[in-house]
Amino acid sequence: MTLLTARDIREIAADIGLRPTKQKGQNFVIDPNTVRSIVTAAGLEDAANVVEIGPGLGSLTLGLLEAGHCVTAVEIDELLAARLPHTVERFAGTEAADRDPETGTEAADRADRTARFSLVGADALKVTELPAPVSGGEANRPDALVANLPYNVAVPVLLHFLETFPSLKTVLVMVQLEVADRLAAAPGSRTYGVPSVKAQWYGDVRLAGRIGKNVFWPAPNIDSGLVRIDVTRTDRDPVQRRRLFSLVDAAFAQRRKTLRAALSGWAGSAQRAEELLLAAGLDPKVRGEALTVADFERLADVEGSRP
């Protein structure tokens, strides 16, 4: 399979009359080596069932197909969605110049890779189910999420898919470097906050690489980061999750305040907040960034168990 180059990207964009906009967070990867490094960083097993959000012009889509995975791409932009199947069909299986044309191997390879691709034209934040996988079965339970997420909706989309598709075991997303740092931040860090706790509630989050501006068209104003999440959480009671996430939102709404003060609205009063914090074995005078995910869970459980 031939991956998209900078020339290919610009030719496709010109052909469909595309002018990338900052409002839509459109920055397309133009370097095949970067695409392959992203796929490698995902560390997926053979023939994984992958969901990709915001495939754009298809750079990462082709890389995932090249690696042998099944790809369900979710694209909100009608112009991009209309072109993507054609790009997959055109570029699939075209690198093997030494193949024997009489055997039909290249044609079969192209057909296989095209068959492993499906497209959902929808807003990723509203997607609650995916079409049946090409490998068969009644429901699409993706193993992995691999995506170059649009900068303006990266965290909401990531959390929505983690909540909606519990079958996900591996996540590898490219986001704005600042967002990547926040997602992977440890307690006590200045960048540790709501995205950190919510993402880390699902599993182990870590930075998996840094991507420079020059591999995108148009080039963004800031570098990007790869974030990998190895999903480990199996107990996902929706009531407990909502209680916990509400607590986390309250704890970081006013970062400079102590938890006793910051959680007064959430608990009903500052005095009540202090009682809950002490019952959870936490110092009411600390701030939200000092608490681990386990600390927040313990506090949420205490609140949920009180009359």
Side-chain angles (χ1 to χ4, degrees):
M1 176 175 289
T2 298
L3 301 189
L4 298 180
T5 64
R7 179 178 179 179
D8 295 324
I9 290 289
R10 290 186 173 88
E11 285 181 351
I12 294 172
D15 189 41
I16 64 178
L18 172 68
R19 294 184 177 180
T21 65
K22 291 184 179 180
Q23 289 78 9
K24 294 183 179 180
Q26 293 177 327
N27 302 95
F28 306 107
V29 180
I30 58 176
D31 176 47
N33 290 329
T34 298
V35 170
R36 291 190 173 103
S37 69
I38 294 171
V39 175
T40 299
L44 304 180
E45 296 182 359
D46 293 340
N49 188 20
V50 181
V51 59
E52 180 191 5
I53 301 166
L57 295 175
S59 298
L60 183 55
T61 309
L62 293 174
L64 290 165
L65 291 171
E66 178 188 63
H69 305 303
C70 298
V71 180
T72 301
V74 180
E75 177 58 67
I76 188 175
D77 191 297
E78 294 182 358
L79 182 66
L80 298 176
R83 181 57 179 243
L84 189 56
H86 172 74
T87 299
V88 170
E89 182 177 2
R90 174 188 170 194
F91 285 85
T94 59
E95 87 287 11
D98 58 343
R99 290 176 179 166
D100 184 351
E102 295 183 1
T103 65
T105 304
E106 183 176 335
D109 187 52
R110 180 182 291 109
D112 169 67
R113 286 170 172 168
T114 302
R116 287 189 278 107
F117 167 77
S118 59
L119 176 66
V120 176
D123 182 346
L125 284 169
K126 298 179 180 179
V127 170
T128 57
E129 60 181 9
L130 298 170
V134 292
S135 56
E138 297 181 356
N140 192 335
R141 299 183 177 87
D143 309 308
L145 165 62
V146 182
N148 172 18
L149 291 178
Y151 286 171
N152 51 351
V153 293
V155 172
V157 166
L158 172 62
L159 295 177
H160 172 69
F161 268 73
L162 283 168
E163 174 189 345
T164 305
F165 298 99
S167 60
L168 289 172
K169 300 302 179 186
T170 303
V171 173
L172 193 287
V173 292
M174 180 161 57
V175 296
Q176 196 171 16
L177 185 59
E178 179 182 353
V179 176
D181 288 337
R182 288 177 179 174
L183 287 168
S189 167
R190 292 176 58 186
T191 54
Y192 182 73
V194 172
S196 319
V197 179
K198 291 183 178 180
Q200 292 169 32
W201 182 78
Y202 287 98
D204 299 322
V205 183
R206 63 178 176 86
L207 291 175
R210 182 169 179 161
I211 308 295
K213 300 184 287 285
N214 62 331
V215 301
F216 294 94
W217 175 78
N221 296 324
I222 191 171
D223 287 352
S224 299
L226 295 177
V227 175
R228 179 179 172 123
I229 304 176
D230 294 309
V231 181
T232 57
R233 180 165 295 275
T234 56
D235 53 321
R236 298 191 188 181
D237 179 87
V239 175
Q240 292 179 338
R241 178 185 54 76
R242 286 192 294 269
R243 183 187 300 123
L244 174 68
F245 283 13
S246 175
L247 164 61
V248 173
D249 289 336
F252 288 100
Q254 302 176 76
R255 292 185 66 100
R256 294 184 180 181
K257 290 189 174 183
T258 65
L259 283 174
R260 183 184 189 277
L263 297 179
S264 59
W266 169 81
S269 69
Q271 180 60 37
R272 173 67 170 169
E274 180 172 341
E275 292 172 358
L276 294 173
L277 286 160
L278 290 173
L282 300 171
D283 183 353
K285 297 180 180 179
V286 302
R287 295 182 174 87
E289 59 262 31
L291 270 59
T292 66
V293 175
D295 291 334
F296 277 112
E297 286 190 283
R298 191 166 63 256
L299 180 56
D301 288 343
V302 168
E303 190 277 334
S305 65
R306 293 297 181 94

